[in-house]
Structures are given as structure tokens and as C-alpha cells.
Amino acid sequence: MTQSIPMINKTMDLAEVQDQWFFNEKYQCWCLEDVLYTSKATTPKFQRLSIFAPAPYMKEGGVIDPEGSMNGFTAATAPVIMNNNSAGYMEMPHMWLGGPRCFGPQYLERGFVYVTCGNRGRESKDADGKRCGKIPSNLVDLKTVIRFLRHNAAVLPGDMEKIISVGWSAGGAMSSLLAVTGNNQKYDSYLEESGAFMDERDDVYAAQIYCPIIDLEHADLAYEWMFSADKENEPSPAGPGGVMTPFEEALSARLSDSYIRYFNSLGLKNPETGDALSLDADGRSGSAYDYLMGKIDESATKFLTKLENGELAEQYSAEDYIKGSYTYETMAPQGGKDDDEPDDVSLMQGHAGPGVALNKPPVGGPDGDLPLEPPTLGNMLSRPPKGMPTPPLFEPPMITVQGKDKSGWLSWDGVQAKVSDLDTYVLNHRRRMKPCTSFDILSCKSGENEVYGKPEQPSVHFSTDVAKAIESLKTQFPEEYGTYYPAYVLATGDTALTRQKYLNNPLNFIGTEEKSDQAKYYRVRVGASDADTSFMIGMTLALELANAGKPVDYALVWDKPHCEADYPGEVCDWIESICR
């Protein structure tokens, strides 16, 4: 299995491969690529990393240059950006400069050391075909990376006490978990099994968290709360596009009500005023609702201000934007079986990253040379072995779209933007993406269902709240109760599943009795056009951190989807501000 996978190291001692560093002229950096980070790899293709260092920090032969400096940093003081590539809780590879989902150049240009790493995921299988990537394998792999880097700190550029975790989507979840579970003993047995250096640490200095898919136990509730006014959904990995059935509408209402009770039980406070945050019974009033709408308004205000000041690539005015008097380019719809039901490869497109078009691979049969099934996203995005051509992933088909009139719900006085209300925003600007249910879905075929699966059972239901909501509808919808409840209720007494859920939720480690070495700084960014999960998920994470006394910078980024939602240069400005 390992013979066809490029790996430069035969041991975990990088001093033995110093001569493998090479210089990249285009990006003006030193590169050490295809490093296996554990001696007990079960899926070595996805348990590798690459390290990139700005030119001044090294010399020929992989020798660190103590005199070299860049942007006020040296090889000894430069922060180390650990960019995990997790997506959809799937197995994912490390990336290469210029490749898909690689954000390295922006960090290298500011004098930071950049590490990209892969990880096992929900569909991973070892050489014997046994599933080996269920929770918490993804996080354990990333902790193993950090311990590996610290084990080799003497021969690597960068300050290993200034490791900054970065990730989006499931990667954002991993970044938040790395930040709050540093050296927590609950993961020790998994780390030992993974081959991690148990005498090293896995805490990080800071975390950049983009669009985190976290708190899966309550994600279905939060989603129905946010998108309760929208009864239609687009095609997504959670299922085909469609309109809610009467049962789904009733279930949505129950889950939305349950979210209000759950949120109010958290006892969160406004970090600026100290006032309690809560949702009223209608779900569309209360201090927490006002706080969220304020964040949406701030997001629109910043975007329109930048637009008016000419700080964005867009070449139209704020007035034109609000009236819809502009056009923009977006990726063309990726067709599948028909317009309403894209195929599996098309549905994975969102995980591929901006500017990346996945090619549909040929599929063969049992007597042919081609695979029986399409490869995983991790395989499609993996770098081909040297000497083989790279698939043309980077030219997605684009279409020109006319802007929409927003004047009915978005106002702008030249200083402050105001969105009228959440339901109007959802129905007119960012419609519902997923069906009800959205994470622990009724068919038990979502990525999240597979996340919590077992070696002998690939997918399982995990939400006890969905089970309770279905049970409450037993009299009204007896047929649907009989169809779904027996499978959902199994999650209630599953102790192994309960442990998995606990270890995968960062909220369990913030402001609790858990003993972890936690990050000093946090930055949370969520696209204001992200419908992969509710806005409340990222907001709650930020509030929990702030209420626990952590320095957290939280914002929604206008018109950005589920991605590394940010304005150019701002994450690097933040890193500089906390590392000087």
C-alpha cells in the first residue's frame, strides 16, 4: 500500500532528510514535501504533511539560517501556520503550493512558516479494508501532527510555541477543538494508538476558525431555528432539493422550539455589556436575536463601506449593489442525473474550495480496469505522483448573474447598514440549503451520520433531540414515527456514541472542569451567505469563548459562502498583532 505513495522519510526523525529540502522559485520558499507524520499510519496517503518556509530562513541542505529575517521575523520567531485540510469530516490529503484548497502563499508572503497536513476521515479504511477514520480519528491525526512538529523542532524553521491552527468547515471544527483540548488526557489512548509522540505537547498558540461545523448534537435544532421560514431546500450533500412534507414541517417546528430552550440553557452573556442573552418564545425576538442581527448589520456595514471606498475588487457602488444594478460571476450549476438531483461528485463541489472544479472520474465495472465507484474527494484532490499530469481542477465553468434588488430588506445611510429581519434575509438572500433534518438526516445517509458510524456500521443516527421530536409527533404522524423513531432512539443508550459526541464538541471544553492547555487567542469568521449550518453555531462558539475570558475576534463576512470567509490580508494582520 505504501510503495506508490511518495514519502521522503523512513523514520520520524527529520534530521535524516535535511537534504530533501528544495527551493521553489515561484513562491520564494523552501519546501519539505510528502512527510509521513506517524510510524503507525493506517492510511498513509492521508497521514502526510508538507512544510514551507520563507527563503530567508534556510540555506542549501536544509540548514536553518539564524541571521535571515523577513517582516520582522526570523527562523526562530516566525509563527507556524498549521492549515488542516479537513472537509466534510472526510479523509483529506495535504496540499501543494498552487494546488486546490491551499492558502499557503498569503502566509509565506508575510514571513510565516506554513504547514499543510492531511488526515483520516469518516470513509477511511486501512489495508485490510477495516474502517479506521471515525471520530475522533480526524482530530487525533492533527494532534499527532503537532507533536511530530515539536519532536523535530530543532531542525525545523519556525517557533513551535507559536503554532496557529487554521481550518474551514470540518477543518474549522478541528481548529476549534485543537484550540480548546490541548494535551487533554481524554485523547491519550487514541494518540498512543496513532503513534503520536506521547512526550510532546499538542496545544496551539492561537486558532483561526472558519465556518465551523460543530455542536452536531444541536445542529439540526439550530438549523431549523434559523431557516424555519423557508420550506424549500436546494440539492446538497444532505439530500436532493425539495419541499417539506407536512411531517417535516411539524418536525422543523419542534426542533426550532427545542433550540430556543437549548440556547437559553447555556446562560450566555453579551461580551460587550455583560447582559444575559436569550431568545423569546417566538424565536424572532429577544436579546440573543438582536445580538445576531447586530452582527449581520455589522457585516453588511463593513462590506458596503469597503465597496464605497474602492477597497474591493467589485467595481460598482453601494447604491448599485442594493438596487441590484450590477452583475457578478459565479460557478455554473454542476448538473447530475437531472437539474434537481446532482450526482455525488457535484455535491462534493462545495468542499473542493473556491476556484476548483471537480472532474467526474470515469467509472467502470467488475471486469474493467476502472474503479467500481467514484473516488473520494480526498483522492480527487490528491497530488498525483511525480511524473504524472495534474488533473485540470482549477478552471470551473462560470456564468454571469444579474444582481438582485435588496432595497426591500437592506438599507444604507452611508455609514450604517441595516437588515430588516432574519426571515426576510433568509427568503431573499440566502435560502435554505439542507432539508429537515439537516445533519442527522432521516435517511441516515449524511456525512455526519457516517462520522459517528462504527467499523461494522458505516452510518448511525446520533441526535437524541431529533428522536424526542419524532416521538412527540407519534399521534399526529404514526406512519413516520414507525419508520424513523426505532432507528433514532438507539442513540439514547449508546455509551460509545456518547463518548464520540463529547470528544467532538469544543463546547464541552470551554468554561468547564476539563483540564486542557488552551489557546491564548481565537478568531472566528463565518460567511454571511453560509447555509451549511446555522449562524448561531459560530456565534455560540464565540460567545462561549468570550464568556470564558478568552480573547476572541468574531464576525460574519458579507456575501461569503461556506469557505475561508475573510477579506484579503486580515487574517495575516491578526496573526502579526498577536505574535509581535
Side-chain angles (χ1 to χ4, degrees), residues 177-250:
L177 280 161
L178 287 171
V180 300
T181 66
N183 311 313
N184 188 290
Q185 293 182 0
K186 282 187 168 62
Y187 300 91
D188 281 356
S189 62
Y190 302 99
L191 287 164
E192 289 178 5
E193 184 180 3
S194 78
F197 287 103
M198 299 308 295
D199 57 344
E200 300 289 355
R201 304 180 352 256
D202 57 50
D203 56 285
V204 298
Y205 178 70
Q208 170 60 63
I209 301 161
Y210 288 113
C211 300
I213 301 295
I214 59 168
D215 195 14
L216 297 182
E217 300 95 303
H218 305 101
D220 285 292
L221 283 60
Y223 205 85
E224 296 314 312
W225 175 87
M226 178 168 172
F227 293 99
S228 59
D230 199 346
K231 309 306 179 186
E232 300 181 27
N233 70 279
E234 63 191 46
S236 78
V243 180
M244 284 188 190
T245 65
F247 167 71
E248 289 167 344
E249 283 198 46

Side-chain angles (χ1 to χ4, degrees), residues 291-322:
Y291 185 84
L292 174 63
M293 293 309 299
K295 291 298 180 182
I296 295 174
D297 290 345
E298 289 175 12
S299 175
T301 297
K302 183 169 182 176
F303 172 79
L304 293 174
T305 300
K306 283 181 171 290
L307 200 59
E308 286 289 81
N309 293 340
E311 299 175 19
L312 303 178
E314 290 83 352
Q315 299 298 310
Y316 43 80
S317 67
E319 182 180 2
D320 288 337
Y321 175 79
I322 293 173

Side-chain angles (χ1 to χ4, degrees), residues 49-54 57 73-83 107-108 111-116 145-146 149-150 153 156-166 203-208 575 579:
L49 59 80
S50 290
I51 307 169
F52 305 96
Y57 299 161
F73 297 108
T74 67
T77 64
V80 177
I81 310 303
M82 198 195 95
N83 200 164
Y107 299 111
L108 292 167
F112 311 151
V113 174
Y114 181 74
V115 178
T116 169
V145 168
I146 295 171
L149 292 173
R150 287 201 166 110
L156 293 176
D159 183 353
M160 295 304 165
E161 297 304 311
K162 294 286 177 64
I163 295 176
I164 298 171
S165 171
V166 180
D203 56 285
V204 298
Y205 178 70
Q208 170 60 63
I575 292 170
C579 290

Side-chain angles (χ1 to χ4, degrees), residues 484-518:
Y484 300 120
Y485 183 73
Y488 272 98
V489 77
L490 294 176
T492 303
D494 191 330
T495 56
L497 174 62
T498 299
R499 179 175 176 80
Q500 281 184 301
K501 291 192 292 185
Y502 186 89
L503 294 176
N504 196 48
N505 192 339
L507 302 186
N508 292 326
F509 298 86
I510 304 170
T512 67
E513 297 300 316
E514 286 291 345
K515 298 185 183 302
S516 305
D517 296 317
Q518 300 188 335

Side-chain angles (χ1 to χ4, degrees), residues 465-495:
D465 285 299
V466 173
K468 292 174 184 176
I470 294 174
E471 184 179 25
S472 72
L473 296 170
K474 178 180 179 179
T475 302
Q476 188 177 356
F477 297 96
E479 182 177 347
E480 288 85 351
Y481 168 83
T483 299
Y484 300 120
Y485 183 73
Y488 272 98
V489 77
L490 294 176
T492 303
D494 191 330
T495 56

Side-chain angles (χ1 to χ4, degrees), residues 20-39:
Q20 295 296 308
W21 284 90
F22 66 92
F23 192 71
N24 186 310
E25 290 287 348
K26 179 178 181 180
Y27 295 101
Q28 288 295 293
C29 67
W30 293 97
C31 313
L32 189 66
E33 296 187 325
D34 300 328
V35 177
L36 188 69
Y37 57 75
T38 171
S39 60

